[in-house]
Amino acid sequence: MYINHDDLTILASAPPQAENVIVQGLEKDVIDSKCSVQSMKQKIEILKRKLPSFGKLQELKPKKLDALLTQPRINARWTQEELMLAAQGVRLYGKNFSKIVEVIPTKAEAHIKSFYVNYRRRFGLDDLVKEQELDALQDDLDQNGGCSVPGTPEKITTNVSGTVAH
């Protein structure tokens, strides 16, 4: 259906009852078009069901194509869930944006970086990064079996009796 300038001038210059007739005619055209689309969809479904090898067609489809079609598309718009995932990603991985991208496949690394810049105050991302760094430090210390003092090359550990050894 297409309405051009002439149709609009006829609508504007016609008496009120004539406008209703024209609009009703256009509405009838829209309804007829919707009905024909619906009937075509039904016919297509019937034809699909009649195909004996429709399932075999799915098996012949290349696997790489399936993988490409099932991958989520990159989207610049942030949903609430993605915002929460990104904040948790910053908490877990700090500023390692490539790791966060693995958690949120609908975003590119540039999206994560802009998220960090734009939402750092709202979500307290700087504090989350500090927490992540402290956790990483604590994990390193736990793996080394002691604690190291920054600025000193030697490691200070406590032995079983509680005395400090250098």
Side-chain angles (χ1 to χ4, degrees), residues 72-166:
R73 295 179 62 191
I74 300 292
N75 187 358
R77 234 182 197 163
W78 287 87
T79 64
Q80 286 295 340
E81 182 180 325
E82 290 171 337
L83 289 171
M84 294 300 121
L85 282 173
Q88 288 298 318
V90 170
R91 170 68 179 88
L92 289 174
Y93 303 115
K95 291 184 182 180
N96 189 348
F97 300 121
S98 59
K99 283 276 197 182
I100 299 171
V101 167
E102 293 174 11
V103 176
I104 310 172
T106 58
K107 301 293 178 232
E109 194 168 337
H111 293 125
I112 304 296
K113 288 178 183 177
S114 68
F115 162 80
Y116 184 80
V117 170
N118 295 331
Y119 290 94
R120 83 189 318 161
R121 284 191 189 137
R122 182 183 294 175
F123 291 116
L125 298 178
D126 291 329
D127 294 335
L128 292 178
V129 168
K130 288 178 186 173
E131 284 181 34
Q132 186 271 334
E133 290 170 352
L134 287 174
D135 285 348
L137 251 173
Q138 186 63 42
D139 289 343
D140 287 346
L141 295 176
D142 290 344
Q143 289 175 357
N144 292 335
C147 63
S148 61
V149 178
T152 60
E154 60 189 38
K155 188 165 110 177
I156 301 173
T157 58
T158 56
N159 55 20
V160 178
S161 64
T163 58
V164 178
H166 290 277

